[in-house]
Amino acid sequence: MLGITDDASMDQEDSALPNGEMFSWDINDIKLPKNVKRTDRFQEWPDSYIKCIYSADDKNAQRHLSSWAMRNTNNHNSRILKKSCLGVVICSNDCSVPPARKMYLRPAICDKARQKQQRKSCPNCNGPLKLIPCRGHGGYPVTNFWRHEGPYIFFQSKGAHDHPRPETKAEAEARRSLQKTHMSASSRVKRNRDMERVYTERRKNMFQRHKENRMSMEEMRLKDGSKWEPTIKVGYHSFRSNVGTVGEDVYEGKTHLNCNSNNIPTTFCQLPLEESYFIADSGHHYYQNSLPTKGSEWHTEEERKYTTLDCCNNEMFFNFVPLR
DNA sequence: CTGTGCGGGTAAC
DNA sequence: GTTACCCGCACAG
């Protein structure tokens, strides 16, 4: 999506492809493009092997944000910030909320908070929670790289997420806020305000983002073949259908929201994610029961049993009113 | 309390 | 050399 004008350091063609696929640079290059025709719109859900050039004024890029749960990783290089994906937190019981919806919680970024999070129980069935680690980059978590260079912020993603999208940061924060307030009358007001903010922001960005996210992975593979490692797994394809890649068109889906009910949005997998919440169609069984335990942060059976009942009730979680 | 970034350190390859 | 990951620390909101 980027255009780059003549640059002595660039000896490859400067073809500008949609969605950040300006592959004539790598995050590790000594010199990066200096003359960028057009910077990218911020990608909230960067996936696959994409590269973006953001304006240094982009607030989201400045904060190295992502809606994936990304944690800082030490790469012993102060010029390039590296982050790796933590995956998604699901219910070990594979429970569903009628009619057949699942929850995809956001893993806490802080190690301590994440361990604490896993001692809590599923807000729906009180079963133990389980962290599904990301293995989208040759069996390791997807990594994101950020590098500030002059008026630009360069971004590069390696790997394709092989798990559902977690809640966004805003959603997780809104939910935490709800848990604290125990749904008092005043908290309902706050809840609605929080959720309204979330949905308003999502709606604002949804069309542009989905347009941008439909870049073919095959095209990217051709452009970046040396780095490509297939990560397709059982259950993966059905998941991919909700992230709008591989040529699949999320806009082919159905109604986005139950606008006139007190219930959660309609089926997750048919939704543009911006309009959905952290609940998804249980028809999409990924591999939560077949993943190796390595990397998942359940340590002992004892720990699994150590669930608390202090989560909010179903109504608190599932009675959202996506205000418009 | 949690998110974020930094950097020392270790291990595997 | 690279990459992944652990840890503690400092700072911010």
Side-chain angles (χ1 to χ4, degrees):
Chain A
M1 82 176 57
L2 298 164
I4 296 176
T5 57
D6 294 342
D7 187 319
S9 67
M10 299 280 111
D11 55 1
Q12 300 174 43
E13 62 166 356
D14 288 336
S15 60
L17 292 171
N19 206 15
E21 274 41 76
M22 230 304 299
F23 279 98
S24 59
W25 58 270
D26 184 90
I27 201 77
N28 293 306
D29 288 349
I30 296 172
K31 295 176 90 176
L32 289 174
K34 286 194 170 63
N35 302 302
V36 177
K37 280 180 191 161
R38 193 161 53 90
T39 52
D40 287 315
R41 174 186 285 264
F42 184 73
Q43 301 289 301
E44 193 181 339
W45 295 100
D47 207 345
S48 308
Y49 294 77
I50 71 160
K51 299 171 187 176
C52 297
I53 303 178
Y54 300 123
S55 162
D57 296 328
D58 188 313
K59 297 292 177 199
N60 291 323
Q62 285 172 5
R63 294 167 191 152
H64 316 126
L65 293 184
S66 172
S67 286
W68 300 102
M70 306 296 293
R71 72 165 162 194
N72 185 41
T73 303
N74 185 13
N75 60 346
H76 299 280
N77 183 345
S78 55
R79 293 179 64 83
I80 302 174
L81 177 65
K82 178 180 179 181
K83 291 185 162 194
S84 52
C85 181
L86 287 165
V88 64
V89 170
I90 61 164
C91 172
S92 283
N93 291 341
D94 194 22
C95 77
S96 298
V97 180
R101 293 188 176 101
K102 286 183 181 299
M103 295 179 306
Y104 295 131
L105 305 181
R106 183 179 187 80
I109 305 299
C110 171
D111 291 349
K112 254 186 185 173
R114 198 166 55 259
Q115 285 163 15
K116 193 171 159 189
Q117 176 185 39
Q118 290 180 146
R119 285 184 222 115
K120 295 191 173 178
S121 54
C122 171
N124 180 40
C125 73
N126 268 332
L129 295 176
K130 180 180 177 181
L131 180 71
I132 300 286
C134 176
R135 301 178 187 281
H137 186 217
Y140 288 105
V142 168
T143 48
N144 286 177
F145 298 87
W146 297 89
R147 180 169 158 191
H148 294 235
E149 210 66 57
Y152 308 115
I153 298 175
F154 292 85
F155 171 85
Q156 185 168 346
S157 169
K158 296 183 180 177
H161 296 275
D162 60 345
H163 53 84
R165 291 176 176 185
E167 306 158 277
T168 64
K169 194 179 160 187
E171 286 164 343
E173 281 170 0
R175 187 168 52 82
R176 274 206 301 267
S177 148
L178 296 186
Q179 287 179 260
K180 281 182 183 172
T181 53
H182 295 293
M183 296 300 289
S184 65
S186 62
S187 76
R188 282 178 186 272
V189 174
K190 178 169 172 31
R191 174 197 65 176
N192 287 345
R193 207 169 49 228
D194 289 341
M195 295 312 298
E196 182 175 22
R197 200 171 54 240
V198 168
Y199 280 101
T200 300
E201 189 57 31
R202 294 183 136 199
R203 279 196 306 277
K204 230 166 53 183
N205 296 324
M206 68 175 283
F207 288 109
Q208 180 62 34
R209 273 212 309 283
H210 277 282
K211 213 171 97 185
E212 293 169 351
N213 280 337
R214 285 160 56 187
M215 171 72 179
S216 155
M217 287 172 76
E218 175 62 15
E219 191 173 350
M220 289 186 277
R221 185 187 68 79
L222 292 172
K223 282 282 178 184
D224 198 25
S226 63
K227 302 182 184 71
W228 177 262
E229 296 169 82
T231 56
I232 306 298
K233 298 171 182 173
V234 173
Y236 177 73
H237 186 76
S238 63
F239 163 61
R240 299 301 301 180
S241 70
N242 93 32
V243 294
T245 54
V246 206
E248 293 166 358
D249 191 342
V250 294
Y251 290 122
E252 299 296 322
K254 297 168 186 169
T255 312
H256 297 162
L257 281 176
N258 271 334
C259 302
N260 60 348
S261 80
N262 287 333
N263 295 320
I264 54 175
T266 52
T267 311
F268 185 98
C269 289
Q270 297 290 348
L271 291 170
L273 267 288
E274 290 72 10
E275 292 279 340
S276 65
Y277 205 61
F278 48 91
I279 298 170
D281 192 327
S282 71
H284 295 261
H285 294 274
Y286 304 107
Y287 42 84
Q288 65 185 74
N289 295 321
S290 59
L291 273 177
T293 53
K294 176 184 175 300
S296 120
E297 300 194 4
W298 282 117
H299 300 306
T300 63
E301 192 62 28
E302 203 55 38
E303 202 168 301
R304 288 166 55 91
K305 291 174 189 165
Y306 187 67
T307 58
T308 59
L309 302 177
D310 58 353
C311 284
C312 54
N313 59 30
N314 289 358
E315 192 256 351
M316 194 183 271
F317 277 94
F318 304 130
N319 199 27
F320 289 116
V321 186
L323 302 174
R324 292 183 171 266

